[in-house]
Amino acid sequence: MTGIDLPKIGGLLLAAGGSSRLGRSKQLVHFEGQTLLRRAAESMTASIFDPVVVVLGSNSDESAVELKGLAATICLNENWRSGMSSSIGVGLAKLIRIEPEIGAVLISLCDQPFITSEMLDRFGEKFATTNAAVIAAAYNGVTGVPALFSRELFGELSRLDGDKGARDLIRSRTDIVVIDLPEASFDVDTSGDVKYLNSGRKKGWVK
């Protein structure tokens, strides 16, 4: 990062979902001695993004315990059942209240266990050199999160609805900058994913 003038970018970690396909809270699934939530939150708070907001919803009390000692603000989405988009809306609003002048937001999920702080930093560094409206992870022929959105898209992010989150916003644009990030291809949705995660195989994340 030496020599790069980094703008003020907030970090938004989404961890409110009910994990219906898994049948238990994915936030509290353990991997390498940590819950997925703690692992993702540590990666976010160790990155260049500040402030960091973590959106909780389902099992919020248990999840909040996992965030103790971290430089992150907890935001409760009481409407978490309506889908990921509502978490983006309440989380972004919280970020703007904390730091009204942020120039962009990096959105990440708690169920992508192979994402590190160094990988997240690449999005901020790319924004500093391109000022792109959207910078998204590219994997398996698609684009998705983690993804960074410039301030000009905050209105659109706030108006999202449903459970697709920012996916359609990302994929509807032709001017996005992508970062190749195969590690983002693996997320935890099912018991099979948990079994694979703890099998000791850490390469070839395609499900």
Side-chain angles (χ1 to χ4, degrees):
M1 294 184 291
T2 303
I4 297 178
D5 185 17
L6 290 167
K8 191 73 171 178
I9 307 173
L12 183 56
L13 178 62
L14 305 182
S19 312
S20 58
R21 292 176 61 190
L22 182 60
R24 60 189 174 104
S25 176
K26 69 173 68 177
Q27 295 91 327
L28 304 177
V29 167
H30 278 78
F31 174 52
E32 295 186 339
Q34 293 181 304
T35 61
L36 296 186
L37 175 56
R38 179 74 187 195
R39 185 181 181 93
E42 285 189 357
S43 292
M44 181 71 84
T45 55
S47 72
I48 59 178
F49 304 105
D50 179 58
V52 170
V53 166
V54 181
V55 183
L56 302 181
S58 175
N59 298 298
S60 58
D61 290 341
E62 297 93 332
S63 294
V65 172
E66 294 299 313
L67 301 174
K68 285 187 176 180
L70 296 180
T73 298
I74 294 174
C75 177
L76 181 62
N77 178 15
E78 296 181 352
N79 196 33
W80 60 267
R81 291 179 180 84
S82 68
M84 190 184 300
S85 295
S86 64
S87 290
I88 293 174
V90 298
L92 181 59
K94 185 71 169 181
L95 272 173
I96 294 171
R97 285 196 296 272
I98 297 171
E99 180 50 74
E101 300 304 318
I102 58 171
V105 60
L106 185 284
I107 298 177
S108 190
L109 306 178
C110 76
D111 64 352
Q112 293 175 307
F114 300 122
I115 300 298
T116 67
S117 59
E118 292 79 12
M119 294 173 192
L120 296 177
D121 284 347
R122 291 168 60 190
F123 291 82
E125 293 161 6
K126 183 68 73 173
F127 182 67
T129 58
T130 66
N131 200 36
V134 180
I135 302 170
Y139 49 89
N140 293 350
V142 300
T143 51
V145 290
L148 181 147
F149 302 87
S150 70
R151 189 179 186 91
E152 67 187 81
L153 295 179
F154 284 5
E156 291 185 57
L157 286 172
S158 298
R159 292 189 294 270
L160 293 172
D161 58 31
D163 200 38
K164 293 183 179 179
R167 182 192 311 164
D168 287 348
L169 177 57
I170 294 170
R171 296 176 186 176
S172 68
R173 300 186 66 94
T174 59
D175 59 344
I176 70 170
V177 171
V178 299
I179 292 178
D180 289 329
L181 200 65
E183 293 86 353
S185 69
F186 183 87
D187 59 359
V188 176
D189 286 323
T190 67
S191 58
D193 295 334
V194 175
K195 183 178 180 180
Y196 177 87
L197 183 64
N198 290 293
S199 68
R201 293 175 293 170
K202 299 178 185 178
K203 299 295 181 183
W205 297 284
V206 179
K207 294 164 75 169

